Amino acid sequence: MLFLSGIEKVISKDVKWVFFADDVVMWYSGTDLQKLEDNLNSTLEDLWKFAEKHKLIFNSTKSTVGFFTTNRKLYGYQSDIVMNHQPLTVGKHPKYLGFVLDPEITCNKHIDHIVLKGRKATLTLKVHFRMCLGC
């Protein structure tokens, strides 16, 4: 975090953010989609300048954009968020610290992800158990 000291001064006051180790999450909420995109793009541009000044690199290929809404008409919305003049990948179900986020804000995708992981683990245990019975 020492490298990022002072970064809070370049993040727009309207943009919320949180850091965990080397992960940064920013969000902005409102009803004016163009204003949302403009504010986030401006903040990302300021962050990029901060990083260059401090000889840091934000990896735009590892960065994703998620769009969350309760308005079903906007579920397919494709935002135009860029970092260092490169469009960021829009993730329908981005992950943050192992939690799968979904645009409907229901947690269903995360639950599905946990169930799938449990099924894979159970299958692995069954295979190992059968192999041990054959020993």
Side-chain angles (χ1 to χ4, degrees):
M1 283 307 275
L2 183 61
F3 289 112
L4 299 176
S5 179
I7 200 167
E8 69 280 356
K9 294 174 185 168
V10 300
I11 297 176
S12 168
K13 65 180 172 91
D14 295 329
V15 175
K16 309 294 187 250
W17 53 275
V18 65
F19 292 96
F20 183 82
D22 63 345
D23 288 329
V24 181
V25 174
M26 296 186 320
W27 67 95
Y28 186 78
S29 59
T31 56
D32 184 342
L33 295 178
Q34 189 59 54
K35 183 179 177 184
L36 291 169
E37 288 184 5
D38 291 345
N39 205 347
L40 285 172
N41 280 325
S42 175
T43 299
L44 286 170
E45 187 176 325
D46 292 343
L47 284 173
W48 192 264
K49 289 175 186 173
F50 175 91
E52 284 181 327
K53 180 180 176 183
H54 292 87
K55 299 188 181 3
L56 299 170
I57 298 172
F58 289 116
N59 190 342
S60 56
T61 61
K62 287 186 174 182
S63 301
T64 60
V65 175
F67 183 74
F68 305 95
T69 182
T70 55
N71 183 343
R72 290 188 178 267
K73 293 178 183 176
L74 296 174
Y75 282 170
Y77 181 76
Q78 291 292 312
S79 60
D80 186 26
I81 307 294
V82 297
M83 180 185 285
N84 193 28
H85 309 291
Q86 295 179 342
L88 296 181
T89 304
V90 177
K92 257 313 198 200
H93 307 286
K95 266 187 177 180
Y96 180 63
L97 301 177
F99 193 87
V100 179
L101 304 167
D102 62 289
E104 298 89 10
I105 316 170
T106 62
C107 295
N108 287 344
K109 293 298 176 188
H110 182 68
I111 293 167
D112 292 345
H113 175 71
I114 296 299
V115 168
L116 183 61
K117 279 177 64 174
R119 286 184 179 152
K120 287 180 181 178
T122 302
L123 181 61
T124 301
L125 288 173
K126 284 180 182 179
V127 169
H128 286 301
F129 182 71
R130 288 182 183 150
M131 287 174 45
C132 287
L133 287 177
C135 296

